[in-house]
């Protein structure tokens, strides 16, 4: 475990944006994680745990503290008739987990096709698509309390999964591993569905660096009747109003500041055309929030996280 100084974080994010971490370390086991946190405490520095770097916007000035890059990759498959239990480490890429489940003909993760990031990140933010989400296949999660270094086991219910949310966003525990339960299915049908999802995702996902969707879609139960009247019923999908539609209606599709642009392909994506600055992305985010609030009376909530000063 080697502590490095002033490492540019843009290389570790899907946005390819971000200044330097004052200190940076890559860890692949529990002892390395504990030692890293201990060093941060000793130097009175804040720390941030980094997974796959998706859903993250890092400040141009970087982060004054320690960034801990999780690289613990691994999974174990335990068979139990039609059910398969998978013990998977938090740093495992979601794409790798999906690949292994495809090879074994397991169903339940098809929605993850084309989604970047790690298993830990997917649990943290309860990633999802096509009406399904990570929380649905979770049986339990092991997480570290960074204050006491005790390890806790969270049942699916205790994870408090909801739309793009989990208890780990609030308790600051660090996800170590998870137990996932999937079912056996028809291999050909599973692969067919994954191929369909990848094709669909390519049609909607801009071919530029981004952090995925910037904002959470809006649940209709959070809107007033007056707000709902402004939304054509055919635009509501799965009980949610797509934020891309709202931003588009404000005339912001294609809006550009520097090398940051609200995608012309999907208005809930902000893309890095070449050398975008975090400050430019942040300006576009605030522009979207202000415009949607003024036009629809709706407050947008970010799906992405921020690291550093904005």
């Amino acid at each position: 475990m080697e502590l490095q100084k002033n490492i540019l974080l843009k290389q570790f994010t899907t946005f390819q944006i971000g200044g330097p971490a004052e200190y940076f370390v890559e860890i692949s086991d529990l002892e390395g994680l504990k030692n890293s946190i201990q060093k941060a405490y000793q130097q009175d520095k804040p720390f941030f745990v980094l997974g796959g770097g998706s859903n993250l916007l890092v400040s141009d000035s970087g982060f004054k503290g320690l960034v801990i890059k999780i690289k613990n990759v691994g999974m174990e498959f335990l068979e139990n008739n039609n059910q398969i239990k998978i013990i998977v480490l938090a740093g495992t890429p979601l794409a790798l987990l999906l690949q292994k489940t495809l090879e074994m003909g397991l169903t339940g993760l098809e929605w993850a096709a084309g989604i970047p990031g790690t298993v830990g990140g997917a649990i943290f933010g309860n990633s999802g698509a096509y009406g399904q989400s990570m929380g649905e296949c979770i049986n339990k999660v092991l997480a570290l309390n960074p204050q006491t270094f005790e390890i806790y086991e969270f049942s699916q219910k205790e994870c408090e999964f909801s739309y793009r949310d989990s208890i780990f966003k609030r308790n600051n525990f660090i996800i170590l591993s998870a137990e996932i339960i999937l079912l056996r299915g028809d291999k050909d049908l599973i692969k067919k569905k994954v191929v369909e999802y990848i094709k669909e995702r390519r049609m909607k996902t801009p071919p530029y660096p981004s952090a995925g969707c910037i904002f959470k879609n809006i649940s209709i139960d959070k809107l007033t009747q007056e707000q709902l009247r402004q939304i054509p019923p055919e635009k509501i999908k799965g009980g949610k109003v797509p934020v891309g539609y709202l931003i588009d209606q404000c005339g912001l599709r294609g809006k550009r500041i520097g090398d940051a642009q609200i995608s012309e392909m999907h208005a809930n994506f902000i893309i890095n055309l070449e050398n975008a600055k975090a400050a430019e992305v942040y300006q576009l985010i605030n522009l979207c929030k202000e415009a949607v609030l003024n036009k629809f009376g709706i407050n947008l909530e970010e799906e992405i996280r921020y690291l550093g000063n904005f």
Side-chain angles (χ1 to χ4, degrees), residues 87-104:
I87 313 297
V88 57
L89 298 179
T92 304
L94 193 57
L96 180 61
L97 175 62
L98 176 61
Q99 181 192 323
K100 294 291 184 187
T101 61
L102 280 178
E103 289 169 7
M104 295 183 68

Side-chain angles (χ1 to χ4, degrees), residues 60-126:
D60 297 313
S61 59
F63 179 64
K64 299 286 185 253
L66 171 64
V67 170
I68 302 170
K69 168 77 173 159
I70 300 285
K71 296 197 78 174
N72 57 337
V73 176
M75 59 191 100
E76 181 185 359
F77 291 80
L78 306 170
E79 301 204 24
N80 181 16
N81 299 323
N82 206 38
Q83 262 188 7
I84 304 292
K85 192 184 288 182
I86 309 167
I87 313 297
V88 57
L89 298 179
T92 304
L94 193 57
L96 180 61
L97 175 62
L98 176 61
Q99 181 192 323
K100 294 291 184 187
T101 61
L102 280 178
E103 289 169 7
M104 295 183 68
L106 304 180
T107 183
L109 277 178
E110 293 91 334
W111 57 268
I115 294 180
T118 61
V119 170
I123 294 168
F124 179 88
N126 194 21

Side-chain angles (χ1 to χ4, degrees), residues 4-298:
Q4 302 173 72
K5 287 186 176 183
N6 297 318
I7 298 297
L8 272 182
L9 293 174
K10 63 187 293 183
Q11 63 189 305
F12 297 105
T13 73
T14 58
F15 235 145
Q16 293 177 22
I17 292 173
E22 186 178 9
Y23 297 100
F24 180 87
V25 67
E26 293 182 323
I27 66 99
S28 54
D29 58 31
L30 181 58
E31 282 312 303
L33 177 60
K34 288 180 179 177
N35 289 339
S36 301
I37 295 169
Q38 198 70 54
K39 283 190 176 181
Y41 287 152
Q42 286 166 0
Q43 296 188 39
D44 199 23
K45 296 284 182 184
F47 65 88
F48 180 82
V49 177
L50 178 66
S54 57
N55 278 44
L56 181 69
L57 181 62
V58 179
S59 164
D60 297 313
S61 59
F63 179 64
K64 299 286 185 253
L66 171 64
V67 170
I68 302 170
K69 168 77 173 159
I70 300 285
K71 296 197 78 174
N72 57 337
V73 176
M75 59 191 100
E76 181 185 359
F77 291 80
L78 306 170
E79 301 204 24
N80 181 16
N81 299 323
N82 206 38
Q83 262 188 7
I84 304 292
K85 192 184 288 182
I86 309 167
I87 313 297
V88 57
L89 298 179
T92 304
L94 193 57
L96 180 61
L97 175 62
L98 176 61
Q99 181 192 323
K100 294 291 184 187
T101 61
L102 280 178
E103 289 169 7
M104 295 183 68
L106 304 180
T107 183
L109 277 178
E110 293 91 334
W111 57 268
I115 294 180
T118 61
V119 170
I123 294 168
F124 179 88
N126 194 21
S127 295
Y130 308 108
Q132 295 176 280
S133 62
M134 192 71 195
E136 292 167 36
C137 61
I138 294 292
N139 188 40
K140 59 188 179 187
V141 172
L142 287 184
L144 178 76
N145 180 339
Q147 301 293 328
T148 64
F149 291 146
E150 288 179 274
I151 295 173
Y152 290 81
E153 183 178 287
F154 291 81
S155 67
Q156 184 189 49
K157 188 179 179 183
E158 288 168 338
C159 289
E160 296 179 12
F161 290 116
S162 60
Y163 176 61
R164 302 296 176 267
D165 199 19
S166 75
I167 194 170
F168 305 107
K169 281 193 171 183
R170 298 182 291 281
N171 68 10
N172 294 319
F173 280 31
I174 300 166
I175 297 164
L176 302 174
S177 66
E179 184 178 288
I180 291 170
I181 292 181
L182 299 179
L183 299 174
R184 288 199 182 279
D186 184 309
K187 219 180 232 190
D188 291 335
L189 284 178
I190 294 165
K191 283 185 178 175
K192 187 180 174 187
K193 191 179 275 190
V194 165
V195 169
E196 284 172 9
Y197 284 162
I198 287 173
K199 279 183 184 171
E200 197 175 323
R201 189 169 288 281
R202 279 182 184 152
M203 286 170 66
K204 294 193 298 186
T205 306
Y208 290 93
S210 76
C213 286
I214 294 289
F215 300 103
K216 296 179 182 180
N217 289 329
I218 315 291
S219 296
I220 56 173
D221 56 10
K222 291 186 177 177
L223 299 178
T224 64
Q225 286 302 311
E226 189 181 336
Q227 288 169 331
L228 272 174
R229 274 194 289 271
Q230 301 175 78
I231 316 292
E234 67 272 14
K235 294 295 179 186
I236 296 169
K237 312 261 194 234
K240 292 186 175 64
V241 177
V243 167
Y245 167 77
L246 301 178
I247 294 169
D248 198 16
Q249 291 302 297
C250 295
L252 290 175
R253 184 189 289 258
K255 172 70 177 172
R256 179 174 175 175
I257 297 176
D259 268 352
Q261 183 183 41
I262 297 169
S263 172
E264 292 178 347
M265 186 184 281
H266 190 318
N268 198 7
F269 276 72
I270 294 176
I271 56 176
N272 177 2
L273 293 171
E274 192 171 354
N275 292 305
K277 304 281 185 242
E280 294 163 351
V281 174
Y282 193 61
Q283 278 181 270
L284 287 176
I285 288 172
N286 287 324
L287 193 62
C288 291
K289 289 167 88 167
E290 191 179 331
V292 170
L293 182 61
N294 288 340
K295 186 173 177 66
F296 295 97
I298 294 173

